[in-house]
Amino acid sequence: MEIGCYNKLRDKLCFWRRGIVLLLCCVSQALCATEVQYQGHLKYEYEGYAFSEQSVYRELYGQHQLNQTAQFRYHLGSQWQSGWLAEADYQLLAGYGEHRFQLTPLADGYLGLSAVIDDEQRLFNLTHTISEHRDFMMLQRLDRAIVGYQTDNNVIKLGRQAITWGNGLFFNPMDFVNPFDPTSLDKEYKTGDDMMYGQHLLADGSDLQAAYVVRRNHDSDVTYNVATAALKYHGFSHYIHEYELLVAEHYGDTVAALASIISVGGAIWATDLVVTLGEQDYLSLVSNWSYSWVGLEKNMTGSLEYFYNGLGITDGDYSLESLRQHPQLLEKIQRGELYNLSRDYLASSLYIEMTPLWSLSQNLFYNVPDNSALYQLLSLNNLSDELRLTTALSLPIGAKGTEYGGLKFDDGQYFSFELSLYMQLAWYF
């Protein structure tokens, strides 16, 4: 990197940090705030893929393809005795490799720097691309920017923030605002959206939450047709351990959901039922069972989950002609709201705490109609209080032309890979 470019980058980073700190400090002085809190992390990721001769990626990248990404997050926050609060999360992300490679041709964006890191449809564009080339990309952004007010029973927050609703362990149809990919290996932070959020805590421990997510359409106009307005109640019952009721307007559709969490013989059984009414009425369901025990003198947790995707394809035909007959399914995939093409899925997980600082997890995602699957072996090792190493192996199972085996591209070619290796080193401060 040339010295001039380095100085410009350094000046930009210093400007963002000084601006955030100055804003919080000024408000702190004005309202007699407590000390400003800060924390963050630096993550380095290395991911490699191996392709067979039938993979369309073999012609583009050769037998192997590698990506390297780095992400820096710096969090500043403060809460005052008067009840006011402010938070800001700065992100610096960089990626090196063939980042236009995608495991599925249905979504745009860079591998490693997900398509969800795009503020074109958000109210505020808080993302700035520093450098972009064929094999390299660097950008900076604000992923959280919140002002709010909090009392013993109420919270109100305005700005860029994230909400997570629903009880799915992997698949989560009730979480329709920027959900995680079920097969994602890093789910520590959800990408924020511009919204108004409020919560009221009742005397019996139940609570009422409301959120309004503001978005822009493809013409950059702020309209209600692409917004989300949701109201959710979380309560308790003598017969059901916990339950949730949700009503929402989401991209012009009416959404209603009912969720329950029940304890059965020491295990936890959670179910979310979601009904969507719009141009196409459909039902989605996720139900999971989790149980923890001690085996071979090690702490273990087993989970099994079923997901019913009401928009999913049932005959295993994922050709372009078939996908065109499911426009709502494609729209949700392109928005990053849904990640699966088929109707019925099973997911299982076995977590083993090998030592207090090292754990192993085995995950299996199974597409029932087309008989394909994805197997993951995940290792999490806490090297110290500040340093964590994550490694993973992903192995697709299934015939060519299936969802996990590889979608068909042309005669004899598929969007497929043989295996994937992943490594992440994270430092927290």
Side-chain angles (χ1 to χ4, degrees), residues 391-429:
T391 55
L393 166 69
S394 297
L395 182 65
I397 304 169
K400 300 299 182 183
T402 59
E403 181 173 11
Y404 292 118
L407 301 181
K408 187 175 181 179
F409 171 70
D410 203 349
D411 291 338
Q413 289 189 314
Y414 302 88
F415 293 99
S416 63
F417 70 99
E418 289 186 316
L419 62 87
S420 170
L421 295 175
Y422 172 88
M423 185 276 290
Q424 181 194 85
L425 185 63
W427 172 61
Y428 296 87
F429 59 89

Side-chain angles (χ1 to χ4, degrees), residues 34-97:
T34 58
E35 182 181 357
V36 175
Q37 304 280 326
Y38 69 90
Q39 63 183 18
H41 66 241
L42 178 63
K43 294 181 178 180
Y44 168 75
E45 295 181 356
Y46 188 92
E47 193 167 20
Y49 291 85
F51 305 120
S52 66
E53 294 184 357
Q54 294 179 301
S55 174
V56 67
Y57 303 119
R58 181 75 173 259
E59 295 184 2
L60 297 175
Y61 310 112
Q63 187 175 357
H64 304 97
Q65 197 267 345
L66 303 175
N67 287 312
Q68 300 180 67
T69 60
Q71 50 177 301
F72 171 77
R73 176 182 286 262
Y74 190 79
H75 170 83
L76 286 169
S78 187
Q79 184 171 350
W80 299 274
Q81 295 178 356
S82 59
W84 290 94
L85 57 91
E87 298 178 17
D89 279 30
Y90 168 81
Q91 278 186 303
L92 176 66
L93 303 103
Y96 177 77

